Amino acid sequence: MTASVHSFDDAIALSRDELGNFHGRTTPAYRNMIGPFGGITAAVLLNAVLQHPERLGEPTALTVNYAGAVPDGPFRIVAKPVRTNRSSQHWIVEQWVLEDGQECIATTATVLTTARKATWAGSDIPAPLTGGPAAGITPLRFAGVPPWFEQFDMIPLTGAIPSQWDGQEHSDSTSRLWVRHAAPRALDYCSLTAACDVFYPRIWLKRALRVPAGTVSMTIYFHANQAMLDSTGTGYLLAQAKGQEFRDNYADQSGQIWSQDGSVLATTHQLAYFKE
Amino acid sequence: MTASVHSFDDAIALSRDELGNFHGRTTPAYRNMIGPFGGITAAVLLNAVLQHPERLGEPTALTVNYAGAVPDGPFRIVAKPVRTNRSSQHWIVEQWVLEDGQECIATTATVLTTARKATWAGSDIPAPLTGGPAAGITPLRFAGVPPWFEQFDMIPLTGAIPSQWDGQEHSDSTSRLWVRHAAPRALDYCSLTAACDVFYPRIWLKRALRVPAGTVSMTIYFHANQAMLDSTGTGYLLAQAKGQEFRDNYADQSGQIWSQDGSVLATTHQLAYFKE
């Protein structure tokens, strides 16, 4: 890695072999507590589709299933266009890793890419605020957190990580924050994907208890076209997520990502495991 | 089909061949304008996983991608457990159909099944109302609609299909309705899946314009355990969906399904195509 390569581009870098397999590897910059940050795994699976010579159109929907641990080291991605229509294409993607010397699937994804045209546009989810962080506000720097946190500038607005793990239940599990790459990098579909997973587990906020928890499935609907990505550039994103139901080891959340000027870039949902 | 088989069970019926393929066929009762109702397709793909001899646990997450038309007639479903852990299992499912004499993929799905345990439970999405339809209210009977509508009792509460297609835009695209099988049938994971797709396209409500539209991807998170399904039985479900963003041929919605007594049974999201 040379100084000119952004840590994000380094983490999602792939090479393609003569059989059409994509090869990548985990990087220390995006380590989470166990394995890589889920957002970087989602981004690298999407990147395999984006790099595929048969791809038609831009990312429109993505579902990623975190099926097993991704160990430090190399991995292989198989991205297969299973159905190509006139203006849409459906993909099945698998991430294979080595576990005890045996290759197995760690992550699966389905991707929809489409050639979109301008249509009537409207929204039922106006941005709760616009304009970026208030003047003089600097990103939070956390102590004792996994490396991936340091790759992002985050400015919590509501629903910050509880400062006291006192088990006092919260009526509302909404978090809202400004977020961008810590080292400037223009937004693209891969980094928008990663931004959809910057939220800490909703169960921690809901219960003010730090129980073991982790994402098992995440879905993203991409609303941003290339012009909207370009106009967002290196600016902050407004990211919001709210827990919905918490029961029997699993909880889901619903989220939205807006640009600084209030455009909806993506909506996202996820299901997370929790213990106890 | 004998008189004792419910139309829903008939529509999701599968046989399994010696190679492990599942075989089913479309039924007239669940026809939509083009091909079958999306909810019945989702249900039959889930049913293949439920019927699979290697299945571990109950449905927890499901994403269905409607990749191409499902013609009237037979289809083949391949359900593959791609990763089995101690208490969770990840599936990739494909529905193959005949198109011009050639077999091709019409639908894909990923499914997560898990062995769940009772944990702390909480909710951020209280039911907007409980108790079932008001006394004396009878289900709406529609004229000139596809057959699948007649398989359900529906009682719109808000956001009913516009009676005038006048192009007057609505500020809010929320629909809420009571829904159940028209012929009594106890709720299970397959019918809960179908219930997640009973909403007409949000773009019709948002714009009061009946533009061509159809679901391309749907995700369901199952919160109901077997006891909750059993206690719901043949009762009504409260189903709610709200459009989020409408842009460049695609719009997404976020939805919830409650039991009559206000328990969250499932949360669901979908992306729909629309023209113009």
Side-chain angles (χ1 to χ4, degrees):
Chain A
M1 175 182 166
T2 64
S4 64
V5 175
H6 193 284
S7 69
F8 189 83
D9 293 298
D10 182 46
I12 65 167
L14 292 169
S15 62
R16 191 158 185 262
D17 68 25
E18 65 283 0
L19 296 171
N21 295 290
F22 290 94
H23 298 272
R25 79 280 178 262
T26 62
T27 65
Y30 287 88
R31 279 207 68 160
N32 200 354
M33 283 171 290
I34 302 166
F37 164 49
I40 205 76
T41 296
V44 75
L45 266 69
L46 179 63
N47 200 27
V49 171
L50 294 178
Q51 300 299 318
H52 199 288
E54 292 172 42
R55 174 177 57 95
L56 177 158
E58 306 303 320
T60 304
L62 164 70
T63 293
V64 182
N65 300 290
Y66 300 94
V70 176
D72 289 342
F75 52 78
R76 180 171 71 93
I77 298 178
V78 180
K80 205 167 118 186
V82 295
R83 172 90 185 209
T84 301
N85 301 311
R86 197 169 48 85
S87 63
S88 68
Q89 192 173 43
H90 286 264
W91 297 79
I92 292 177
V93 186
E94 300 166 348
Q95 182 184 35
W96 292 79
V97 299
L98 279 176
E99 202 179 78
D100 302 327
Q102 193 100 27
E103 225 195 5
C104 65
I105 285 182
T107 318
T108 68
T110 58
V111 179
L112 167 66
T113 56
T114 67
R116 301 168 77 160
K117 288 187 194 144
T119 61
W120 179 90
S123 185
D124 266 21
I125 45 170
L129 74 165
T130 59
I137 303 290
T138 54
L140 214 60
R141 292 296 161 214
F142 303 90
V145 292
W148 77 266
F149 271 85
E150 296 165 28
Q151 306 304 320
F152 294 95
D153 284 347
M154 298 194 209
I155 300 176
L157 298 165
T158 188
I161 293 191
S163 51
Q164 303 236 338
W165 301 105
D166 57 9
Q168 290 295 312
E169 289 171 23
H170 288 230
S171 60
D172 180 6
S173 64
T174 302
S175 285
R176 194 179 292 151
L177 69 155
W178 293 111
V179 62
R180 66 176 181 190
H181 291 290
R185 180 183 181 279
L187 189 72
D188 59 16
Y189 288 109
C190 288
S191 53
L192 181 55
T193 295
C196 290
D197 196 36
V198 294
F199 310 98
Y200 67 91
R202 300 296 82 199
I203 192 83
W204 293 4
L205 178 55
K206 187 73 182 167
R207 298 177 66 185
L209 266 189
R210 206 166 165 165
V211 295
T215 305
V216 293
S217 187
M218 174 168 70
T219 290
I220 300 172
Y221 301 138
F222 298 96
H223 298 290
N225 53 36
Q226 191 58 50
M228 290 163 72
L229 294 175
D230 291 346
S231 107
T232 301
T234 57
Y236 273 99
L237 308 177
L238 181 66
Q240 177 176 283
K242 180 191 170 179
Q244 297 205 108
E245 184 73 3
F246 305 80
R247 175 182 298 282
D248 298 352
N249 293 131
Y250 291 91
D252 74 311
Q253 70 190 48
S254 184
Q256 297 84 26
I257 308 282
W258 293 272
S259 66
Q260 272 189 203
D261 68 3
S263 299
V264 176
L265 302 178
T267 52
T268 181
H269 314 281
Q270 64 170 259
L271 188 76
Y273 168 85
F274 69 91
K275 204 169 172 177
E276 294 160 18
Chain B
M1 175 182 165
T2 65
S4 64
V5 176
H6 193 284
S7 70
F8 189 84
D9 293 298
D10 182 46
I12 65 167
L14 293 168
S15 62
R16 192 160 184 263
D17 68 26
E18 66 281 1
L19 297 170
N21 295 289
F22 290 94
H23 298 273
R25 79 279 178 262
T26 62
T27 66
Y30 287 87
R31 278 209 67 162
N32 201 354
M33 284 171 289
I34 303 167
F37 164 49
I40 205 76
T41 296
V44 76
L45 266 69
L46 180 64
N47 200 27
V49 171
L50 295 177
Q51 300 299 317
H52 198 289
E54 293 172 41
R55 174 176 56 95
L56 177 158
E58 305 304 319
T60 304
L62 164 69
T63 293
V64 183
N65 299 290
Y66 301 94
V70 177
D72 288 344
F75 53 78
R76 180 171 71 93
I77 298 178
V78 181
K80 204 167 119 188
V82 295
R83 171 90 185 209
T84 301
N85 301 310
R86 199 169 46 85
S87 64
S88 69
Q89 192 173 43
H90 286 264
W91 297 79
I92 292 178
V93 186
E94 300 166 348
Q95 182 184 36
W96 292 79
V97 299
L98 279 174
E99 203 179 77
D100 302 327
Q102 192 100 26
E103 226 195 4
C104 64
I105 285 182
T107 319
T108 68
T110 57
V111 179
L112 167 66
T113 56
T114 67
R116 300 169 75 159
K117 288 187 194 145
T119 60
W120 180 89
S123 185
D124 265 21
I125 45 169
L129 74 166
T130 59
I137 303 290
T138 55
L140 214 60
R141 290 296 161 215
F142 303 89
V145 293
W148 78 266
F149 272 85
E150 296 165 27
Q151 306 305 319
F152 295 95
D153 284 346
M154 299 194 210
I155 300 176
L157 298 165
T158 189
I161 293 192
S163 50
Q164 303 236 339
W165 301 104
D166 56 9
Q168 290 294 310
E169 290 171 23
H170 288 231
S171 60
D172 180 6
S173 64
T174 302
S175 284
R176 195 179 290 149
L177 68 156
W178 293 111
V179 61
R180 66 176 182 190
H181 291 290
R185 180 182 180 279
L187 189 71
D188 58 16
Y189 288 109
C190 288
S191 54
L192 182 54
T193 295
C196 289
D197 195 37
V198 294
F199 310 99
Y200 67 91
R202 299 296 84 198
I203 192 84
W204 293 5
L205 178 55
K206 186 73 182 167
R207 299 177 65 185
L209 266 189
R210 206 165 166 167
V211 295
T215 305
V216 292
S217 187
M218 175 167 70
T219 290
I220 300 171
Y221 301 138
F222 298 95
H223 298 290
N225 55 35
Q226 191 59 50
M228 290 163 71
L229 294 175
D230 292 345
S231 106
T232 302
T234 59
Y236 273 99
L237 308 177
L238 181 65
Q240 177 176 284
K242 180 192 170 178
Q244 297 204 112
E245 183 74 3
F246 305 81
R247 176 182 297 282
D248 298 353
N249 294 132
Y250 291 90
D252 75 311
Q253 71 190 48
S254 184
Q256 297 84 25
I257 309 282
W258 293 271
S259 66
Q260 274 191 203
D261 68 5
S263 299
V264 175
L265 302 178
T267 51
T268 182
H269 316 281
Q270 64 171 259
L271 187 77
Y273 167 85
F274 69 92
K275 204 170 173 177
E276 296 160 19

